[in-house]
Amino acid sequence: MNKHRYRWIGRMVVLPILCLISCTHSGELKKKEPSVDELKIELGKRLFFDKNLSATGEISCASCHKPEHGFADNTKFSLGVNGHLAQRNTPSIIYAGKQPYFMYEGLIPTLEMQALVPLQDSNEMGNRMEDLILRLQRDSLYERLSNQLYKRKLDAYVLTRSLSTYVRSLSTKKHRFLSYMAGNKKALTKKQRRGYSIFDKKLKCTSCHTPPYLTNHQVVNNGLSISKQNPDYGRYHGTGKPTDFAAFKVPSLLGLLKSNPYMHDGRFRTIRAVVNHYEKGGSSVPNKDPRIQPFKLTAKEKSDLLAFLRAL
Ligand code: HEC
Ligand code: HEC
């Protein structure tokens, strides 16, 4: 009787352990059989981090869009191939998947087309597409995944689809501001909430940086002075319209804290310097948007506003 009881107790202990092992085991099995969609993201991720995507094997997409800096870079102009510098400040691309068009001019309609730009730009990855495709086709893993997922050899179609699929997958990331907007008040501290109220109600920054992604996707002039050494007329370069003079796409502010410096030319090193720019109503430049007006804040209001912006 006693013996029997011990055996029974023994089984009670062993069974859950076995279950635990088999549960993790089946968890692993699941991981080994990802869905087609997950594999497409995985292929895109490998490509995004692969330096072989540049002509010299030095630069990957992630060399400029660094995960630890909100998929932006913490330098004014990122380093491309052969010691060249990108001509604009690298923007955060975490929420690019939520945008209707791309680049600071907002003139590129899809992420797939956007991917062609850095791959072929002589300051960024410096490729000729034909050479790049031949090089990537020699990678057996890429070839296998391309055939399995897209039923074709790796070509420009597969390359641009894969990269954009990965970039889109980033925008499913959780963010405390999105959680706040979805109704979780505690996602922001009291001070940050006061700062958001100043940003929204008092200063109407939300007329351009509209929730939830803190952009209305317009391409406008926010009153930055034109640099003498390196003048950049934004969308005007593409359209020649005076109403596009020095107009740039309103960026999402999610990922802001880690993605300094700021603006298309990285002219502001800190969030405080950005706020100072808006506080004086920007510079007097042609085509400045009428919503950019000087304002005054008390020291406490400014500190609250900065606390909110630093939470992004
Ligand atoms: C040398 C640095 C550099 C590399 C390498 C690079 N980028 Fe970029 N990326 C930039 C810069 C700078 C911009 C802004 C360009 C502009 O608007 O003129 C940008 C813009 C973007 C945008 C548009 C963001 C927006 O809000 O409009 C996406 C998406 C993007 N890059 C993805 C990629 C992908 C994918 C790769 C790899 C194939 C890549 N980038 C490689 C620097 C880089
Ligand atoms: C009229 C539209 C408009 C209004 C209003 C506006 N912004 Fe902007 N904001 C922009 C544009 C356009 C840019 C990008 C300019 C560039 O890159 O050259 C920008 C850029 C920024 C950036 C830098 C983002 C980055 O990643 O480089 C911050 C921070 C910012 N704005 C905060 C604010 C705050 C705070 C307010 C309110 C005081 C405000 N903005 C009001 C249009 C606006």
Side-chain angles (χ1 to χ4, degrees), residues 26-44:
S26 68
E28 275 167 17
L29 274 182
K30 253 192 197 156
K31 258 191 199 159
K32 276 183 197 149
E33 289 169 31
S35 67
V36 169
D37 285 347
E38 284 167 339
L39 278 174
K40 284 185 171 173
I41 294 173
E42 188 54 37
L43 172 59

Side-chain angles (χ1 to χ4, degrees), residues 209-221:
H209 299 286
T210 311
Y213 296 103
L214 298 177
T215 171
N216 60 2
H217 312 293
Q218 287 177 352
V219 184
V220 297
N221 180 322

